[in-house]
Amino acid sequence: MQITVNHQPMAVEPPISVEALLQQLNHLEKGVALAVNSKIISRSRWASYLLSDGDNITLIKATAGG
């Protein structure tokens, strides 16, 4: 199925959870927030939240600095 991650098209094999996607992308660290189709998905739901064809995922990584 086709999804979009931060405006980049990507093909993945269904079923795939948000957590599995982040593992594939090496983004399963702390400080990452995620929205699917502009809706924030809490970290506690990542393992059970299954992505659908056409989903638009936005990854946001917190950074520290000054």
Side-chain angles (χ1 to χ4, degrees):
M1 73 181 176
Q2 289 290 320
I3 60 174
T4 303
V5 179
N6 287 355
H7 307 288
Q8 298 295 316
M10 180 177 185
V12 293
E13 289 294 322
I16 186 167
S17 68
V18 166
E19 185 174 86
L21 174 68
L22 292 177
Q23 283 177 329
Q24 285 184 14
L25 298 174
N26 294 320
H27 283 296
L28 202 52
E29 68 270 12
K30 291 186 176 184
V32 172
L34 177 138
V36 176
N37 301 325
S38 300
K39 181 178 177 183
I40 298 291
I41 307 298
S42 65
R43 183 176 282 267
S44 63
R45 295 183 56 211
W46 288 2
S48 62
Y49 192 97
L50 296 178
L51 297 171
S52 299
D53 190 41
D55 277 348
N56 185 9
I57 293 96
T58 303
L59 289 175
I60 303 162
K61 185 172 181 178
T63 57

